[in-house]
CSV table of all heavy atoms in Angstrom, one decimal:
chain,number,residue,atom,x,y,z
A,103,ILE,N,84.6,64.2,87.3
A,103,ILE,CA,85.6,65.3,87.3
A,103,ILE,C,86.3,65.4,88.6
A,103,ILE,O,85.7,65.2,89.7
A,103,ILE,CB,85.0,66.7,87.0
A,103,ILE,CG1,84.3,66.7,85.6
A,103,ILE,CG2,86.0,67.8,87.1
A,103,ILE,CD1,83.5,67.9,85.3
A,104,ILE,N,87.6,65.5,88.6
A,104,ILE,CA,88.4,65.8,89.8
A,104,ILE,C,88.9,67.2,89.8
A,104,ILE,O,89.5,67.6,88.7
A,104,ILE,CB,89.5,64.8,90.0
A,104,ILE,CG1,89.0,63.4,90.1
A,104,ILE,CG2,90.4,65.2,91.2
A,104,ILE,CD1,90.1,62.3,90.1
A,105,THR,N,88.8,68.0,90.8
A,105,THR,CA,89.3,69.3,90.8
A,105,THR,C,89.7,69.8,92.3
A,105,THR,O,89.7,68.9,93.2
A,105,THR,CB,88.4,70.3,90.2
A,105,THR,OG1,89.0,71.6,90.0
A,105,THR,CG2,87.1,70.5,91.1
A,106,HIS,N,90.1,71.0,92.5
A,106,HIS,CA,90.5,71.5,93.7
A,106,HIS,C,89.4,71.6,94.7
A,106,HIS,O,88.2,71.8,94.4
A,106,HIS,CB,91.1,72.9,93.6
A,106,HIS,CG,92.4,72.9,92.9
A,106,HIS,ND1,93.6,72.5,93.5
A,106,HIS,CD2,92.8,73.3,91.7
A,106,HIS,CE1,94.6,72.6,92.7
A,106,HIS,NE2,94.2,73.1,91.6
A,107,ASN,N,89.7,71.4,96.0
A,107,ASN,CA,88.8,71.7,97.1
A,107,ASN,C,88.4,73.2,97.1
A,107,ASN,O,89.3,74.1,96.9
A,107,ASN,CB,89.4,71.3,98.4
A,107,ASN,CG,88.5,71.4,99.6
A,107,ASN,OD1,87.4,70.9,99.5
A,107,ASN,ND2,88.9,72.2,100.6
A,108,PRO,N,87.2,73.6,97.3
A,108,PRO,CA,86.8,75.0,97.3
A,108,PRO,C,87.4,75.8,98.4
A,108,PRO,O,87.5,77.0,98.3
A,108,PRO,CB,85.2,75.0,97.5
A,108,PRO,CG,84.9,73.6,97.0
A,108,PRO,CD,86.0,72.7,97.4
A,109,GLU,N,87.8,75.2,99.5
A,109,GLU,CA,88.6,75.9,100.5
A,109,GLU,C,90.0,75.4,100.5
A,109,GLU,O,90.4,74.5,101.3
A,109,GLU,CB,88.0,75.6,101.9
A,109,GLU,CG,86.6,76.1,102.1
A,109,GLU,CD,85.5,75.2,101.6
A,109,GLU,OE1,85.6,74.0,101.6
A,109,GLU,OE2,84.5,75.8,101.0
A,110,ASP,N,90.8,76.1,99.7
A,110,ASP,CA,92.2,75.8,99.5
A,110,ASP,C,93.0,77.0,99.9
A,110,ASP,O,92.5,78.0,100.3
A,110,ASP,CB,92.5,75.3,98.1
A,110,ASP,CG,93.6,74.3,98.0
A,110,ASP,OD1,94.5,74.3,98.9
A,110,ASP,OD2,93.7,73.5,97.0
A,111,TYR,N,94.3,76.8,99.7
A,111,TYR,CA,95.2,77.9,100.3
A,111,TYR,C,95.5,79.1,99.4
A,111,TYR,O,96.1,80.0,99.9
A,111,TYR,CB,96.5,77.2,100.7
A,111,TYR,CG,97.6,77.0,99.6
A,111,TYR,CD1,98.7,77.8,99.6
A,111,TYR,CD2,97.4,76.0,98.7
A,111,TYR,CE1,99.6,77.6,98.6
A,111,TYR,CE2,98.3,75.8,97.7
A,111,TYR,CZ,99.5,76.6,97.7
A,111,TYR,OH,100.4,76.4,96.7
A,112,MET,N,95.1,79.0,98.1
A,112,MET,CA,95.4,80.2,97.3
A,112,MET,C,94.3,80.5,96.4
A,112,MET,O,93.5,79.6,96.0
A,112,MET,CB,96.7,80.0,96.5
A,112,MET,CG,96.6,79.0,95.3
A,112,MET,SD,97.9,79.3,94.0
A,112,MET,CE,99.3,79.0,94.9
A,113,PRO,N,94.1,81.8,96.0
A,113,PRO,CA,92.9,82.2,95.3
A,113,PRO,C,92.8,81.6,93.9
A,113,PRO,O,91.7,81.3,93.5
A,113,PRO,CB,93.1,83.7,95.1
A,113,PRO,CG,94.6,84.0,95.4
A,113,PRO,CD,95.0,82.9,96.4
A,114,ASP,N,93.9,81.2,93.2
A,114,ASP,CA,93.7,80.6,91.9
A,114,ASP,C,93.1,79.2,92.1
A,114,ASP,O,92.3,78.8,91.3
A,114,ASP,CB,95.1,80.4,91.3
A,114,ASP,CG,95.6,81.7,90.6
A,114,ASP,OD1,94.8,82.7,90.6
A,114,ASP,OD2,96.7,81.7,90.1
A,115,HIS,N,93.4,78.5,93.2
A,115,HIS,CA,92.9,77.2,93.4
A,115,HIS,C,91.4,77.3,93.7
A,115,HIS,O,90.6,76.5,93.1
A,115,HIS,CB,93.5,76.5,94.6
A,115,HIS,CG,94.9,76.0,94.3
A,115,HIS,ND1,95.5,75.0,95.0
A,115,HIS,CD2,95.8,76.3,93.3
A,115,HIS,CE1,96.8,74.8,94.6
A,115,HIS,NE2,96.9,75.6,93.5
A,116,THR,N,91.0,78.2,94.5
A,116,THR,CA,89.6,78.3,94.9
A,116,THR,C,88.7,78.8,93.7
A,116,THR,O,87.6,78.4,93.5
A,116,THR,CB,89.4,79.2,96.1
A,116,THR,OG1,89.9,80.5,95.9
A,116,THR,CG2,90.1,78.6,97.3
A,117,ALA,N,89.3,79.7,92.9
A,117,ALA,CA,88.6,80.2,91.7
A,117,ALA,C,88.4,79.0,90.7
A,117,ALA,O,87.3,78.9,90.1
A,117,ALA,CB,89.4,81.3,91.0
A,118,VAL,N,89.4,78.1,90.6
A,118,VAL,CA,89.2,77.0,89.7
A,118,VAL,C,88.1,76.1,90.2
A,118,VAL,O,87.3,75.6,89.4
A,118,VAL,CB,90.5,76.2,89.6
A,118,VAL,CG1,90.3,74.8,88.9
A,118,VAL,CG2,91.5,77.0,88.8
A,119,ALA,N,88.0,75.8,91.5
A,119,ALA,CA,87.0,75.0,92.0
A,119,ALA,C,85.6,75.6,91.7
A,119,ALA,O,84.7,74.8,91.3
A,119,ALA,CB,87.1,74.9,93.6
A,120,ARG,N,85.4,76.9,91.9
A,120,ARG,CA,84.1,77.5,91.6
A,120,ARG,C,83.8,77.5,90.1
A,120,ARG,O,82.7,77.3,89.7
A,120,ARG,CB,84.1,78.9,92.1
A,120,ARG,CG,84.1,79.0,93.6
A,120,ARG,CD,83.8,80.4,94.1
A,120,ARG,NE,84.9,81.3,93.7
A,120,ARG,CZ,86.0,81.6,94.5
A,120,ARG,NH1,86.2,81.1,95.6
A,120,ARG,NH2,86.8,82.5,94.0
A,121,LEU,N,84.9,77.7,89.3
A,121,LEU,CA,84.7,77.6,87.8
A,121,LEU,C,84.2,76.3,87.3
A,121,LEU,O,83.3,76.1,86.5
A,121,LEU,CB,86.0,78.0,87.1
A,121,LEU,CG,86.3,79.5,86.8
A,121,LEU,CD1,87.6,79.7,86.2
A,121,LEU,CD2,85.2,80.1,85.9
A,122,VAL,N,84.8,75.2,87.9
A,122,VAL,CA,84.5,73.8,87.5
A,122,VAL,C,83.0,73.6,87.9
A,122,VAL,O,82.3,72.9,87.1
A,122,VAL,CB,85.4,72.8,88.1
A,122,VAL,CG1,84.9,71.4,87.9
A,122,VAL,CG2,86.8,73.0,87.5
A,123,PHE,N,82.6,74.0,89.1
A,123,PHE,CA,81.2,73.8,89.5
A,123,PHE,C,80.3,74.5,88.5
A,123,PHE,O,79.3,73.9,88.1
A,123,PHE,CB,81.0,74.3,90.9
A,123,PHE,CG,79.6,74.2,91.4
A,123,PHE,CD1,79.1,73.0,91.8
A,123,PHE,CD2,78.8,75.3,91.3
A,123,PHE,CE1,77.8,73.0,92.3
A,123,PHE,CE2,77.4,75.3,91.8
A,123,PHE,CZ,76.9,74.1,92.2
A,124,ASP,N,80.6,75.7,88.2
A,124,ASP,CA,79.7,76.5,87.3
A,124,ASP,C,79.7,75.9,85.9
A,124,ASP,O,78.7,75.6,85.3
A,124,ASP,CB,80.3,77.9,87.2
A,124,ASP,CG,79.4,78.9,86.5
A,124,ASP,OD1,78.4,78.4,85.8
A,124,ASP,OD2,79.6,80.1,86.5
A,125,ALA,N,80.9,75.6,85.4
A,125,ALA,CA,81.1,75.1,84.0
A,125,ALA,C,80.5,73.7,83.8
A,125,ALA,O,80.0,73.4,82.7
A,125,ALA,CB,82.5,75.2,83.5
A,126,SER,N,80.6,72.9,84.9
A,126,SER,CA,80.1,71.5,84.7
A,126,SER,C,78.6,71.5,84.5
A,126,SER,O,78.1,70.5,83.9
A,126,SER,CB,80.5,70.7,85.9
A,126,SER,OG,79.8,71.2,87.1
A,127,PHE,N,77.9,72.5,85.0
A,127,PHE,CA,76.4,72.6,84.7
A,127,PHE,C,76.2,73.2,83.3
A,127,PHE,O,75.5,72.7,82.5
A,127,PHE,CB,75.8,73.4,85.8
A,127,PHE,CG,74.3,73.6,85.5
A,127,PHE,CD1,73.4,72.7,85.9
A,127,PHE,CD2,73.8,74.8,84.9
A,127,PHE,CE1,72.0,72.9,85.6
A,127,PHE,CE2,72.5,75.0,84.6
A,127,PHE,CZ,71.6,74.0,84.9
A,128,THR,N,76.9,74.3,83.1
A,128,THR,CA,76.7,75.0,81.8
A,128,THR,C,77.0,74.1,80.6
A,128,THR,O,76.3,74.2,79.6
A,128,THR,CB,77.7,76.2,81.8
A,128,THR,OG1,77.4,77.0,83.0
A,128,THR,CG2,77.4,77.1,80.6
A,129,ALA,N,78.1,73.2,80.7
A,129,ALA,CA,78.4,72.4,79.6
A,129,ALA,C,77.4,71.4,79.2
A,129,ALA,O,77.4,70.8,78.2
A,129,ALA,CB,79.7,71.7,80.0
A,130,THR,N,76.4,71.2,80.1
A,130,THR,CA,75.3,70.2,79.8
A,130,THR,C,74.2,70.8,79.0
A,130,THR,O,73.3,70.1,78.6
A,130,THR,CB,74.8,69.6,81.1
A,130,THR,OG1,74.0,70.6,81.8
A,130,THR,CG2,75.8,69.1,82.0
A,131,LEU,N,74.2,72.1,78.8
A,131,LEU,CA,73.1,72.8,78.2
A,131,LEU,C,73.2,72.8,76.6
A,131,LEU,O,74.2,73.4,76.1
A,131,LEU,CB,73.0,74.2,78.6
A,131,LEU,CG,72.9,74.4,80.1
A,131,LEU,CD1,72.9,75.9,80.5
A,131,LEU,CD2,71.6,73.7,80.7
A,132,PRO,N,72.3,72.1,75.9
A,132,PRO,CA,72.5,71.9,74.4
A,132,PRO,C,72.4,73.2,73.7
A,132,PRO,O,73.0,73.3,72.6
A,132,PRO,CB,71.4,71.0,74.1
A,132,PRO,CG,70.4,71.0,75.2
A,132,PRO,CD,71.2,71.4,76.4
A,133,ASN,N,71.8,74.2,74.2
A,133,ASN,CA,71.6,75.5,73.5
A,133,ASN,C,72.6,76.6,73.9
A,133,ASN,O,72.5,77.7,73.5
A,133,ASN,CB,70.2,76.0,73.6
A,133,ASN,CG,69.2,75.1,72.9
A,133,ASN,OD1,69.5,74.6,71.8
A,133,ASN,ND2,68.1,74.8,73.5
A,134,TYR,N,73.5,76.2,74.8
A,134,TYR,CA,74.6,77.2,75.2
A,134,TYR,C,75.7,77.2,74.2
A,134,TYR,O,76.3,76.1,74.0
A,134,TYR,CB,75.1,76.9,76.6
A,134,TYR,CG,76.0,77.9,77.1
A,134,TYR,CD1,75.5,79.1,77.7
A,134,TYR,CD2,77.4,77.8,77.0
A,134,TYR,CE1,76.4,80.1,78.2
A,134,TYR,CE2,78.3,78.8,77.5
A,134,TYR,CZ,77.8,79.9,78.1
A,134,TYR,OH,78.6,80.8,78.6
A,135,LYS,N,76.0,78.3,73.6
A,135,LYS,CA,77.0,78.4,72.5
A,135,LYS,C,78.3,79.0,73.0
A,135,LYS,O,78.2,80.1,73.7
A,135,LYS,CB,76.4,79.1,71.3
A,135,LYS,CG,75.1,78.6,70.8
A,135,LYS,CD,75.2,77.1,70.4
A,135,LYS,CE,73.9,76.6,69.8
A,135,LYS,NZ,73.9,75.2,69.5
A,136,LEU,N,79.4,78.4,72.6
A,136,LEU,CA,80.7,79.0,72.9
A,136,LEU,C,81.1,79.9,71.7
A,136,LEU,O,81.0,79.5,70.5
A,136,LEU,CB,81.7,77.9,73.2
A,136,LEU,CG,81.4,77.0,74.3
A,136,LEU,CD1,82.4,75.9,74.4
A,136,LEU,CD2,81.5,77.8,75.6
A,137,ALA,N,81.7,81.0,72.0
A,137,ALA,CA,82.1,82.0,71.0
A,137,ALA,C,83.3,81.5,70.3
A,137,ALA,O,83.4,81.4,69.0
A,137,ALA,CB,82.3,83.3,71.6
A,138,ASN,N,84.4,81.1,71.0
A,138,ASN,CA,85.7,80.7,70.4
A,138,ASN,C,86.2,79.5,71.1
A,138,ASN,O,87.3,79.6,71.7
A,138,ASN,CB,86.7,81.9,70.5
A,138,ASN,CG,86.2,83.1,69.7
A,138,ASN,OD1,86.1,83.1,68.5
A,138,ASN,ND2,85.9,84.2,70.4
A,139,PRO,N,85.6,78.4,70.9
A,139,PRO,CA,86.2,77.2,71.5
A,139,PRO,C,87.5,76.8,70.9
A,139,PRO,O,87.8,76.9,69.8
A,139,PRO,CB,85.1,76.1,71.2
A,139,PRO,CG,84.4,76.6,70.0
A,139,PRO,CD,84.4,78.1,70.1
A,140,LYS,N,88.4,76.3,71.8
A,140,LYS,CA,89.7,75.8,71.4
A,140,LYS,C,89.8,74.3,71.2
A,140,LYS,O,90.5,73.8,70.3
A,140,LYS,CB,90.8,76.2,72.5
A,140,LYS,CG,92.2,75.8,72.1
A,140,LYS,CD,93.2,76.3,73.2
A,140,LYS,CE,94.6,75.8,72.9
A,140,LYS,NZ,95.5,76.3,74.0
A,141,TYR,N,89.0,73.5,72.0
A,141,TYR,CA,89.1,72.1,72.0
A,141,TYR,C,87.8,71.4,71.4
A,141,TYR,O,87.9,70.4,70.8
A,141,TYR,CB,89.4,71.6,73.4
A,141,TYR,CG,90.8,72.0,73.9
A,141,TYR,CD1,90.9,73.0,74.8
A,141,TYR,CD2,91.9,71.4,73.5
A,141,TYR,CE1,92.1,73.4,75.3
A,141,TYR,CE2,93.2,71.8,73.9
A,141,TYR,CZ,93.3,72.8,74.8
A,141,TYR,OH,94.5,73.2,75.3
A,142,SER,N,86.7,72.0,71.7
A,142,SER,CA,85.5,71.4,71.2
A,142,SER,C,85.1,72.1,69.9
A,142,SER,O,85.8,73.0,69.5
A,142,SER,CB,84.3,71.5,72.2
A,142,SER,OG,84.1,72.9,72.5
A,143,ASN,N,84.0,71.8,69.3
A,143,ASN,CA,83.5,72.5,68.1
A,143,ASN,C,82.0,72.5,68.1
A,143,ASN,O,81.3,72.0,69.0
A,143,ASN,CB,84.1,71.9,66.9
A,143,ASN,CG,83.7,70.4,66.7
A,143,ASN,OD1,82.6,70.0,66.7
A,143,ASN,ND2,84.8,69.6,66.6
A,144,ALA,N,81.4,73.1,67.1
A,144,ALA,CA,79.9,73.2,67.0
A,144,ALA,C,79.2,71.9,67.0
A,144,ALA,O,78.0,71.8,67.4
A,144,ALA,CB,79.6,74.0,65.8
A,145,ASP,N,79.9,70.9,66.6
A,145,ASP,CA,79.3,69.5,66.5
A,145,ASP,C,79.5,68.7,67.8
A,145,ASP,O,78.9,67.6,67.9
A,145,ASP,CB,79.8,68.8,65.4
A,145,ASP,CG,79.5,69.4,64.0
A,145,ASP,OD1,78.4,69.9,63.9
A,145,ASP,OD2,80.3,69.4,63.1
A,146,THR,N,80.3,69.2,68.7
A,146,THR,CA,80.5,68.5,70.0
A,146,THR,C,79.2,68.5,70.8
A,146,THR,O,78.6,69.5,71.1
A,146,THR,CB,81.6,69.2,70.8
A,146,THR,OG1,82.8,69.2,70.0
A,146,THR,CG2,81.9,68.4,72.1
A,147,PRO,N,78.7,67.3,71.2
A,147,PRO,CA,77.5,67.3,72.0
A,147,PRO,C,77.7,67.8,73.4
A,147,PRO,O,78.8,67.9,73.9
A,147,PRO,CB,77.2,65.8,72.0
A,147,PRO,CG,78.5,65.1,71.9
A,147,PRO,CD,79.3,66.0,70.9
A,148,PRO,N,76.6,68.2,74.0
A,148,PRO,CA,76.7,68.7,75.4
A,148,PRO,C,77.3,67.6,76.3
A,148,PRO,O,77.1,66.4,76.1
A,148,PRO,CB,75.3,69.1,75.8
A,148,PRO,CG,74.4,68.4,74.8
A,148,PRO,CD,75.2,68.2,73.6
A,149,ALA,N,77.9,68.0,77.4
A,149,ALA,CA,78.5,67.1,78.4
A,149,ALA,C,77.3,66.5,79.2
A,149,ALA,O,76.2,67.0,79.3
A,149,ALA,CB,79.5,67.8,79.2
A,150,LYS,N,77.7,65.5,80.0
A,150,LYS,CA,76.7,64.8,80.9
A,150,LYS,C,76.8,65.5,82.3
A,150,LYS,O,77.9,66.1,82.6
A,150,LYS,CB,77.1,63.3,81.1
A,150,LYS,CG,77.1,62.6,79.8
A,150,LYS,CD,77.4,61.1,80.1
A,150,LYS,CE,78.9,60.9,80.4
A,150,LYS,NZ,79.8,61.1,79.2
A,151,MET,N,75.8,65.5,83.1
A,151,MET,CA,75.8,65.9,84.4
A,151,MET,C,76.5,64.8,85.3
A,151,MET,O,76.0,63.7,85.3
A,151,MET,CB,74.4,66.2,85.0
A,151,MET,CG,74.4,66.8,86.3
A,151,MET,SD,74.8,68.5,86.4
A,151,MET,CE,73.3,69.2,85.7
A,152,VAL,N,77.7,65.2,85.8
A,152,VAL,CA,78.5,64.1,86.4
A,152,VAL,C,79.0,64.5,87.8
A,152,VAL,O,79.0,65.7,88.1
A,152,VAL,CB,79.7,63.8,85.5
A,152,VAL,CG1,79.3,63.3,84.2
A,152,VAL,CG2,80.6,65.0,85.4
A,153,PRO,N,79.3,63.5,88.6
A,153,PRO,CA,79.9,63.8,89.9
A,153,PRO,C,81.2,64.6,89.8
A,153,PRO,O,82.0,64.4,88.9
A,153,PRO,CB,80.1,62.4,90.5
A,153,PRO,CG,79.2,61.5,89.8
A,153,PRO,CD,79.1,62.0,88.4
A,154,ILE,N,81.5,65.3,90.9
A,154,ILE,CA,82.7,66.0,91.1
A,154,ILE,C,83.4,65.6,92.3
A,154,ILE,O,82.7,65.5,93.4
A,154,ILE,CB,82.5,67.6,91.1
A,154,ILE,CG1,82.0,68.1,89.7
A,154,ILE,CG2,83.8,68.3,91.5
A,154,ILE,CD1,81.6,69.6,89.7
A,155,PHE,N,84.7,65.3,92.3
A,155,PHE,CA,85.4,64.9,93.4
A,155,PHE,C,86.5,65.9,93.7
A,155,PHE,O,87.2,66.3,92.8
A,155,PHE,CB,86.1,63.5,93.2
A,155,PHE,CG,85.1,62.4,93.1
A,155,PHE,CD1,84.7,62.0,91.8
A,155,PHE,CD2,84.6,61.7,94.2
A,155,PHE,CE1,83.8,61.0,91.6
A,155,PHE,CE2,83.7,60.7,94.0
A,155,PHE,CZ,83.3,60.3,92.8
A,156,TYR,N,86.5,66.4,94.9
A,156,TYR,CA,87.5,67.4,95.3
A,156,TYR,C,88.8,66.6,95.8
A,156,TYR,O,88.7,65.7,96.6
A,156,TYR,CB,87.1,68.3,96.4
A,156,TYR,CG,85.9,69.2,96.0
A,156,TYR,CD1,84.7,69.2,96.7
A,156,TYR,CD2,86.0,69.9,94.8
A,156,TYR,CE1,83.7,70.0,96.3
A,156,TYR,CE2,84.9,70.7,94.4
A,156,TYR,CZ,83.8,70.8,95.1
A,156,TYR,OH,82.8,71.6,94.7
A,157,MET,N,90.0,67.0,95.2
A,157,MET,CA,91.2,66.4,95.6
A,157,MET,C,91.8,67.0,96.8
A,157,MET,O,91.4,68.1,97.2
A,157,MET,CB,92.2,66.4,94.4
A,157,MET,CG,92.5,67.7,93.9
A,157,MET,SD,93.5,67.6,92.4
A,157,MET,CE,93.8,69.3,92.0
A,158,ASP,N,92.8,66.4,97.4
A,158,ASP,CA,93.4,66.8,98.7
A,158,ASP,C,94.0,68.2,98.5
A,158,ASP,O,94.4,68.6,97.4
A,158,ASP,CB,94.5,65.8,99.1
A,158,ASP,CG,94.6,65.6,100.6
A,158,ASP,OD1,94.1,66.5,101.3
A,158,ASP,OD2,95.1,64.5,101.0
Side-chain angles (χ1 to χ4, degrees):
I103 298 170
I104 298 173
T105 193
H106 288 288
N107 186 54
E109 292 82 37
D110 210 338
Y111 82 107
M112 74 156 61
D114 280 358
H115 287 201
T116 58
V118 167
R120 291 190 298 267
L121 273 174
V122 170
F123 176 79
D124 188 350
S126 66
F127 177 84
T128 307
T130 67
L131 303 178
N133 293 319
Y134 186 83
K135 306 301 181 184
L136 298 174
N138 296 295
K140 179 178 179 180
Y141 295 102
S142 64
N143 57 58
D145 296 325
T146 304
K150 302 180 289 289
M151 186 74 74
V152 299
I154 294 175
F155 295 94
Y156 294 130
M157 59 190 180
D158 217 336

